[in-house]
Amino acid sequence: MTGDNRELKTGQPGATPTAVFAEKDFARLFAGCGAERHAAGHTLFMQGDPGDRVFGVTSGKLEISLISADGRKLVANIETRNGLVGEIAALDGGPRSASVTCLSDCVVVSLTRAQLLDRLAREPEIARSIIVHLCARVRWMSDEVGDQALLALDQRLAKRILFLSALIGDPIGWIVVSQQEIAEFLGATRETVNKSLSDWRAAGLVEVGRGRLRIVDARGLRRIAERL
């Protein structure tokens, strides 16, 4: 990891949709905070809860999701090491805009809203990093809205698989994710995702296992994602 904030590259298949803090800025923001360990499946907070803390991820994976009034779920993002969750509500004092759940065993650190605002007031460099982070969030959201409106489902699926491979793929490329979870990322049905993956497996683009998949032909998936 470099000393600068990772640049968000919107509109590019597989681009990481998150502004990850540089190591030094993350350490300064959460200096003196004790580690909190949570098991996979633990919910840090629910959509609509009071926004009284910001959390930083030191290890593990967190799922950010939106829940509709009728119980439908849309996975908005995944945060990994040096990512932030809950910063919007902690900054503006409003309710949580999404739910956050541990996808794996996680270690997080946190600040209360008062602590966060105090540190931003005292350390302009950290405040600048937060601004860059929030701008990246807005750019990512704009890109997602554009994808939902303008891209076919297979294009969005290809982009999502490329992204997940870069974010949480293991050393040999396996992505531990179910087809239902992928469907929740896209706001689609599991059956639709299953059909596309079956077609792509037959075409030699992906390898599919139980609760996991791996990209075989990344160039082929990019061609699908970038199709005009």
Side-chain angles (χ1 to χ4, degrees), residues 157 160-162 164-165 168-170 172-179 182 193 197 200 205-216 221:
L157 177 58
R160 186 63 62 177
I161 292 173
L162 288 163
L164 289 173
S165 179
I168 62 173
D170 71 14
I172 60 172
W174 284 105
I175 311 162
V176 179
V177 63
S178 71
Q179 293 183 23
I182 294 174
V193 169
L197 291 179
W200 292 351
L205 296 176
V206 299
E207 185 176 354
V208 180
R210 186 175 181 84
R212 62 179 187 162
L213 62 89
R214 179 169 63 177
I215 295 173
V216 175
L221 282 185

Side-chain angles (χ1 to χ4, degrees), residues 5 59 72 164 223:
N5 290 85
S59 70
R72 288 177 296 164
L164 289 173
R223 282 197 296 268

Side-chain angles (χ1 to χ4, degrees), residues 133-202:
H133 174 84
L134 292 174
C135 289
R137 285 256 194 254
V138 172
R139 289 180 182 275
W140 161 246
M141 291 169 62
S142 296
D143 198 39
E144 283 289 282
V145 170
D147 284 356
Q148 289 281 349
L150 302 174
L151 298 186
L153 179 62
D154 64 334
Q155 292 176 284
R156 292 192 288 120
L157 177 58
K159 286 187 69 172
R160 186 63 62 177
I161 292 173
L162 288 163
F163 156 62
L164 289 173
S165 179
L167 186 67
I168 62 173
D170 71 14
I172 60 172
W174 284 105
I175 311 162
V176 179
V177 63
S178 71
Q179 293 183 23
Q180 180 61 41
E181 288 169 331
I182 294 174
E184 289 170 351
F185 263 114
L186 301 173
T189 65
R190 181 189 177 282
E191 290 74 19
T192 303
V193 169
N194 177 264
K195 182 180 185 306
S196 291
L197 291 179
S198 296
D199 291 344
W200 292 351
R201 177 173 55 187

Side-chain angles (χ1 to χ4, degrees), residues 45-126:
F45 53 79
M46 294 291 293
Q47 184 176 331
D49 284 352
D52 54 355
R53 301 189 79 85
V54 58
F55 294 86
V57 187
T58 62
S59 70
K61 297 183 286 287
L62 295 176
E63 176 189 270
I64 302 172
S65 61
L66 306 174
I67 309 297
S68 69
D70 61 2
R72 288 177 296 164
K73 177 181 173 183
L74 176 67
V75 177
N77 204 354
I78 293 175
E79 288 292 342
T80 56
R81 186 171 180 268
N82 284 4
L84 297 184
V85 293
E87 72 279 14
I88 294 175
L91 284 168
D92 69 10
R96 299 295 190 190
S97 58
S99 300
V100 174
T101 304
C102 298
L103 280 180
S104 65
D105 292 347
C106 293
V107 179
V108 301
V109 286
S110 67
L111 291 169
T112 66
R113 181 169 188 261
Q115 289 171 324
L116 172 64
L117 296 178
D118 179 65
R119 293 192 183 192
L120 295 183
R122 289 189 290 106
E123 301 202 44
E125 287 187 19
I126 295 179

